[in-house]
Amino acid sequence: MDNSTPLIRIVFFQVRQPSAKLDRLIEVATAHFERKEQLLIAAEDEKAVHYIDELFWKSPPTSFLPHLASDEPTSSLIAITRTKKNINHARFAFNLCPTPLLIEGSFRVIYDFEDLTSPAKQQLSALRFDAYKKAGCLIEAR
């Protein structure tokens, strides 16, 4: 990265149970929606996109979280996609893929998981951490 490119901040959420991942995802998506900030959620495959789509239709329990599952460009505040493209021109992204989310775009913050739910997922988290560090991103743990 050159000096004119603002540094991307990576926020790693440490999670020990699968349910904590869902809680954190809903919390972050809701916060960005309430602030009218676009958020891109990158999922690994169609099954994951469908799961998150269903989750957002049921959360919160008394309502739902407005969003769009798509691989095409959109103006939706919250977009869930399996493509490695910033389809809604978001400044914030949540990476749910096993690989780092290092795509062209103007992301200010990328959320990711330090996934401690299994040794294999912990290893993938470490690989993403190293890739973000190598790319010159600012890394923060929560």
Side-chain angles (χ1 to χ4, degrees), residues 89-100:
H89 305 288
R91 310 268 326 259
F92 303 91
F94 209 125
N95 183 31
L96 301 177
C97 300
T99 55

Side-chain angles (χ1 to χ4, degrees), residues 55-69:
L55 176 71
F56 284 177
W57 281 118
K58 298 172 188 165
S59 300
T62 56
S63 183
F64 67 93
L65 186 57
H67 65 282
L68 180 70

Side-chain angles (χ1 to χ4, degrees), residues 18-94:
S19 63
K21 290 192 270 189
L22 301 179
D23 293 344
R24 191 60 74 154
L25 177 61
I26 291 167
E27 178 184 303
V28 167
T30 300
H32 284 285
F33 180 78
E34 288 173 350
R35 291 192 301 258
K36 296 185 177 12
E37 296 170 334
Q38 288 171 298
L39 174 70
L40 180 78
I41 299 172
E44 180 64 10
D45 53 30
E46 195 58 44
K47 183 179 172 187
V49 168
H50 179 74
Y51 184 85
I52 297 158
D53 182 36
E54 290 295 312
L55 176 71
F56 284 177
W57 281 118
K58 298 172 188 165
S59 300
T62 56
S63 183
F64 67 93
L65 186 57
H67 65 282
L68 180 70
S70 178
D71 291 336
E72 301 299 320
T74 177
S75 60
S76 180
L77 281 178
I78 299 176
I80 308 163
T81 186
R82 61 191 170 96
T83 66
K84 294 274 187 169
K85 294 181 184 153
N86 190 352
I87 63 168
N88 65 339
H89 305 288
R91 310 268 326 259
F92 303 91
F94 209 125

